[in-house]
Amino acid sequence: MRDLITVVGMNHKTAPVELREKLSFQESQLPLSFEKIREINGIKESAILSTCNRVEVYSVFKAQTSNMEDICAFLSNFHNVPLEAFKPCIYEFSDDRAVRHIFRVASSLDSMVVGEPQILGQFKDAYGFAAQHKATGIILNRLFHKAFSVAKRVRTETRIANSAVSISFAAVELAKKIFDDLSACRVLLIGAGEMCELAAKHFINAGIYEIYVTNRTFSRAITLAEDFGGEAVPFEDYGHLFEKVDIILSSTGAPEPIVTADIVARAMKRRKNRPMFFIDIAVPRDIDEKVHDLSNVYLYDIDDLKEVVTSNQQEREKEAKKAEKIIEEEVAHFIQWMDNLEVVPTIRQLREHADHIRKAELQKTLTKMKNLSDKDRQAIERLTQSIVNKLLHGPSVLLKQTEKNGTGSPAVDLVRKMFQLDGPEGRRDSSSRE
Amino acid sequence: MYRYLILLTFTLYFGSMLLAFFYLSRPGERAIQWATYLLGAGFLAHTVMLGLRFYQSGHFPITNLHESLSFFAWCVALIILVVHKRFGISVMFSFATPLVVLFLALSLTTGSRLLPLPPILKSYWLPIHVILAFLGDAIFALTFCVSIMYLIQERHIKKKKMGKLMRLLPSLSLLDQLNYRLLSIGFPLLTLGIITGSIWAEYAWGSYWSWDPKETWSLITWLVFAALLHQRLTVGWRGKKAAWVAIVGFGLVLFTFLGVNLLLSGLHSYGRWS
């Protein structure tokens, strides 16, 4: 029987944030938690992933000893939360389902915003801590590295991370299709409002050069400008800025458009036609539709952006299907590797491998020595057999012993590598060589 | 031997183009990587082919239409490889490789027989003049592709239609800058090409400028590109306008190169379709 990989955890879909908070692990708590987990009966390896959206314990149990209840008990004891309080929110996976889950998490398919890139970093950190405290062993090491390469495959072979699914993010993506490098762009924020501020934050995160804020109430402009590290401009003066700002975010409560095509056309002349991008989040709208008809000027209102988001969502769902297919492939590979870690098939393969070599070499020699009698031939054949048997005796005994001690995997892995039973350099898992 | 090299070159270019088209339907960097390798291999085969021709004829192989078209295809392939190395815009392959294939295919339709060199073409100025002019023209071919890409991307953003192609195409600002940068290299080359040509004309025909149709049309081309550069720097002709002018400019390049030979007769008429 092979060892068992298990996942016990909860995420944003199964548990409310209050609960996730209680069960989350601080970095400083990790050494102690690995010690506690080690005390669980039958456990060989473990790792903990704790982010704001999920708490998961990955572990490897010795064959036929697995008891995921013990992991739940550990969580309950460690955090002082009664088991009943969180048991309904817990999911438990084992074997190939556990591997699949781990691959999906690393590839950001299980994230709240599918395709968001942070999770892979957190996932790598989780592995780093576990490895540092020697909590992981041969199986989890392999599993984590495989998960990194699966995540990389998903990222490069599908466009799952490429499409914006929130309005403000869509606006940033559009700006990048107009200006390329946002680090040279200046942004003007007209008015205030939750959505507008969110969009402004996204632009700041994207690394814009400078932000100006204007508001009918100047004091409000000053507070916002402080928040964003920008500059406040009196409302009467913002028109002058059109000459130098490239992106304008607008959401005022004005009943009529406040930016007319005339103003923009004049500004464009002074700008020598350098492009401008207007994002109108206000309803009723702040910017005259005709602005969009000017050349090198682009105006997107809230409905336009919503449409972009919808089309991106459809695209993303298509890409997610491709990603799931990649993951299925990789899960199958990994399970096969696990199977191969077993002692008995390894011994058998080892003998087949040796016998294959013996026969080939024997054949070569015998065809050259044509004047041997049948008796001589048989003697040579027996000689080769006994050399092979004597040579393989040591490794076979070692493998059988380690199986009894329950430390089979490292020895099996070593023997397989030494004799190249998975082909030269373990060709079958070439993707995890990095 | 020469024939086989042409076919090998053509096959490699064609393969590169097919991969670049495949990239449009299923984007993945691997397709473009292989398209680059094929184009590079085709370029090498092409270089060997030109060298062989040089060796066989004893002069620079640009003395008839077959050789000129083939050399022009070589120039365009070179510029694609250089621009790709510098800017790494994968989707550019899908727009630019068809031009290489087209020019080499045109070259294949014309007679490739080695003819004795007309005495008037025996001069060092000839290769210098042609190489400069062709490199300039090849850069304009790329400017043309970049402009088409700009117009498509501009249309996507104006019409607010998101699509696969929009994701693949780079930003407007990058395409517009590329238009300008290519132009600012191509234009001096064209200028030098015209100047060296006129020096050679003085040796060959005894006059720097004789208003032969090729000269006239290359002057018109030069004026269009000069106007574009000037207007961009002074009043900001950029974006769509610059893209359209660059497209018209490349049309003029093609007319000067092929149309004049085909339709109008003059001193430059060595390169007739035969």
Side-chain angles (χ1 to χ4, degrees):
Chain A
M1 273 302 286
R2 66 165 179 240
D3 296 336
L4 202 69
I5 300 175
T6 62
V7 173
V8 174
M10 56 173 59
N11 66 13
H12 55 94
K13 281 176 223 155
T14 64
V17 64
E18 301 81 39
L19 195 56
R20 296 198 312 264
E21 269 167 11
K22 278 188 202 144
L23 290 176
S24 74
F25 290 85
Q26 303 298 318
E27 208 181 301
S28 53
Q29 296 173 314
L30 287 174
L32 184 61
S33 22
F34 288 132
E35 257 168 54
K36 293 273 177 219
I37 294 179
R38 237 174 246 141
E39 289 164 10
I40 296 173
N41 178 34
I43 210 142
K44 293 171 78 180
E45 304 176 28
S46 61
I48 295 173
L49 174 68
S50 176
T51 75
C52 51
N53 281 330
R54 65 182 68 243
V55 178
E56 295 185 340
V57 179
Y58 308 143
S59 35
V60 177
F61 283 93
K62 213 178 286 175
Q64 288 169 324
T65 58
S66 73
N67 188 353
M68 287 187 265
E69 294 303 313
D70 289 346
I71 302 275
C72 291
F74 152 75
L75 285 173
S76 161
N77 291 335
F78 194 87
H79 291 292
N80 255 329
V81 182
L83 195 59
E84 313 79 69
F86 67 88
K87 192 78 220 287
C89 304
I90 285 283
Y91 44 77
E92 300 176 337
F93 302 116
S94 60
D95 215 29
D96 59 331
R97 292 184 60 217
V99 175
R100 183 174 301 112
H101 177 79
I102 290 171
F103 285 177
R104 293 187 79 243
V105 169
S107 313
S108 185
L109 289 175
D110 200 47
S111 302
M112 186 138 80
V113 178
V114 173
E116 57 95 7
Q118 287 99 318
I119 183 67
L120 185 58
Q122 294 162 334
F123 193 77
K124 281 184 174 163
D125 289 345
Y127 171 63
F129 289 124
Q132 194 188 327
H133 294 102
K134 307 226 168 8
T136 61
I138 177 167
I139 293 178
L140 281 190
N141 283 342
R142 172 71 159 227
L143 181 61
F144 269 99
H145 281 118
K146 200 74 207 170
F148 302 154
S149 73
V150 171
K152 195 172 156 201
R153 260 194 84 186
V154 166
R155 206 171 52 234
T156 53
E157 289 177 32
T158 73
R159 290 191 305 277
I160 197 148
N162 286 7
S163 44
V165 286
S166 72
I167 286 181
S168 28
F169 199 52
V172 172
E173 290 296 300
L174 269 168
K176 281 186 185 160
K177 281 293 176 198
I178 298 172
F179 299 105
D180 204 53
D181 186 7
L182 296 188
S183 66
C185 287
R186 293 183 168 86
V187 176
L188 169 65
L189 182 63
I190 308 176
E194 201 185 338
M195 187 104 84
C196 204
E197 284 164 35
L198 193 67
K201 269 182 204 143
H202 267 93
F203 273 104
I204 290 167
N205 286 341
I208 51 151
Y209 181 68
E210 215 172 354
I211 187 163
Y212 300 91
V213 183
T214 187
N215 200 300
R216 259 185 234 281
T217 331
F218 190 56
S219 57
R220 180 97 181 93
I222 291 174
T223 3
L224 268 181
E226 266 167 19
D227 282 358
F228 293 144
E231 194 182 315
V233 183
F235 196 72
E236 306 77 51
D237 290 348
Y238 75 80
H240 302 305
L241 283 175
F242 279 16
E243 196 175 329
K244 58 176 179 177
V245 296
D246 309 292
I247 299 165
I248 290 109
L249 278 162
S250 183
S251 83
T252 68
E256 299 272 309
I258 54 169
V259 176
T260 64
D262 267 358
I263 301 178
V264 179
R266 258 177 281 144
M268 282 308 279
K269 225 174 234 159
R270 291 200 303 271
R271 293 171 61 86
K272 287 195 181 168
N273 290 316
R274 277 182 298 117
M276 284 180 101
F277 181 29
F278 287 85
I279 301 153
D280 188 352
I281 306 182
V283 179
R285 287 174 294 178
D286 279 344
I287 297 159
D288 187 356
E289 274 179 285
K290 290 200 198 85
V291 166
H292 188 65
D293 300 334
L294 297 168
S295 60
N296 298 315
V297 182
Y298 308 93
L299 162 64
Y300 276 66
D301 63 31
I302 186 90
D303 285 357
D304 299 330
L305 289 173
K306 271 183 192 152
E307 216 158 288
V308 172
V309 168
T310 320
S311 80
N312 283 347
Q313 260 159 355
Q314 287 161 355
E315 166 89 0
R316 188 167 280 204
E317 273 153 31
K318 260 199 294 183
E319 294 301 312
K321 277 199 192 113
K322 264 194 238 168
E324 299 285 359
K325 233 169 103 186
I326 292 174
I327 283 177
E328 280 319 303
E329 259 174 60
E330 298 287 350
V331 169
H333 277 160
F334 192 83
I335 293 296
Q336 207 194 342
W337 176 78
M338 291 270 295
D339 285 341
N340 286 342
L341 276 185
E342 288 169 53
V343 170
V344 179
T346 301
I347 295 178
R348 197 182 58 231
Q349 250 178 300
L350 184 61
R351 294 206 159 267
E352 278 166 9
H353 177 65
D355 207 48
H356 185 72
I357 296 174
R358 184 188 70 82
K359 278 188 180 138
E361 296 302 315
L362 187 66
Q363 191 65 35
K364 259 195 249 167
T365 310
L366 288 185
T367 43
K368 273 185 222 147
M369 306 169 75
K370 290 208 174 81
N371 40 11
L372 289 180
S373 69
D374 273 356
K375 220 174 158 192
D376 291 340
R377 282 168 190 272
Q378 278 163 15
I380 291 178
E381 171 119 32
R382 270 198 304 279
L383 168 71
T384 56
Q385 273 167 350
S386 74
I387 290 176
V388 164
N389 285 339
K390 291 245 157 81
L391 269 178
L392 292 190
H393 181 69
S396 309
V397 169
L398 174 82
L399 285 174
K400 278 180 191 150
Q401 263 171 6
T402 52
E403 188 187 26
K404 271 182 218 148
N405 303 343
T407 54
S409 315
V412 170
D413 194 46
L414 184 64
V415 168
R416 298 190 73 86
K417 274 185 194 144
M418 272 172 67
F419 291 94
Q420 300 195 330
L421 295 184
D422 299 311
E425 277 181 64
R427 204 168 31 80
R428 203 168 38 81
D429 344 281
S430 55
S431 50
S432 66
R433 256 183 287 160
E434 50 189 287
Chain B
M1 181 66 184
Y2 181 69
R3 207 70 205 167
Y4 288 122
L5 272 172
I6 298 190
L7 286 179
L8 173 65
T9 307
F10 185 78
T11 314
L12 289 168
Y13 285 162
F14 198 77
S16 175
M17 178 180 80
L18 288 185
L19 277 171
F21 287 162
F22 175 77
Y23 172 79
L24 287 182
S25 68
R26 291 188 63 185
E29 282 316 301
R30 194 171 289 176
I32 288 304
Q33 216 167 37
W34 278 100
T36 321
Y37 293 153
L38 285 187
L39 190 69
F43 180 75
L44 284 182
H46 203 162
T47 312
V48 173
M49 173 180 124
L50 293 176
L52 182 73
R53 188 77 167 181
F54 198 157
Y55 175 74
Q56 282 174 347
S57 66
H59 57 81
F60 206 83
I62 32 172
T63 48
N64 61 27
L65 190 61
H66 164 74
E67 291 175 349
S68 314
L69 281 164
S70 158
F71 182 62
F72 188 60
W74 184 86
C75 290
V76 177
L78 172 70
I79 303 295
I80 294 177
L81 289 170
V82 171
V83 172
H84 180 66
K85 180 115 184 77
R86 180 77 181 71
F87 295 93
I89 303 170
S90 302
V91 72
M92 184 192 72
F93 267 84
S94 320
F95 289 83
T97 47
L99 284 181
V100 181
V101 173
L102 174 74
F103 287 114
L104 196 62
L106 279 178
S107 155
L108 288 173
T109 64
T110 58
S112 67
R113 238 161 0 107
L114 270 177
L115 295 171
L117 189 66
I120 206 159
L121 295 184
K122 269 192 194 123
S123 163
Y124 288 116
W125 287 108
L126 171 74
I128 297 175
H129 161 59
V130 174
I131 290 172
L132 287 172
F134 274 30
L135 278 179
D137 287 354
I139 289 175
F140 293 139
L142 255 275
T143 319
F144 166 78
C145 296
V146 167
S147 301
I148 300 268
M149 284 156 72
Y150 182 94
L151 291 177
I152 295 176
Q153 184 71 312
E154 217 271 344
R155 207 181 148 76
H156 273 123
I157 298 176
K158 267 285 188 222
K159 297 280 168 206
K160 301 177 180 175
K161 284 264 181 295
M162 309 299 125
K164 212 187 217 165
L165 196 53
M166 177 169 173
R167 267 179 257 276
L168 294 181
L169 285 166
S171 68
L172 293 181
S173 133
L174 182 66
L175 289 168
D176 190 48
Q177 267 170 39
L178 206 53
N179 179 318
Y180 173 63
R181 293 180 71 162
L182 287 170
L183 199 62
S184 54
I185 301 169
F187 183 72
L189 284 171
L190 176 68
T191 313
L192 286 175
I194 292 176
I195 292 172
T196 51
S198 118
I199 294 174
W200 172 49
E202 161 68 13
Y203 278 109
W205 304 324
S207 126
Y208 286 105
W209 196 267
S210 33
W211 295 108
D212 132 278
K214 198 130 193 159
E215 289 173 356
T216 313
W217 281 98
S218 58
L219 185 65
I220 295 174
T221 312
W222 186 88
L223 284 173
V224 167
F225 283 121
L228 175 53
L229 268 178
H230 178 263
Q231 294 298 90
R232 177 188 277 274
L233 295 175
T234 52
V235 293
W237 271 20
R238 60 172 75 227
K240 233 163 123 177
K241 210 179 262 175
W244 276 115
V245 177
I247 288 171
V248 169
F250 184 64
L252 285 169
V253 165
L254 280 187
F255 184 75
T256 313
F257 180 18
L258 302 173
V260 169
N261 291 9
L262 213 58
L263 306 171
L264 310 167
S265 70
L267 298 168
H268 266 89
S269 51
Y270 329 104
R272 290 200 149 268
W273 230 280
S274 54

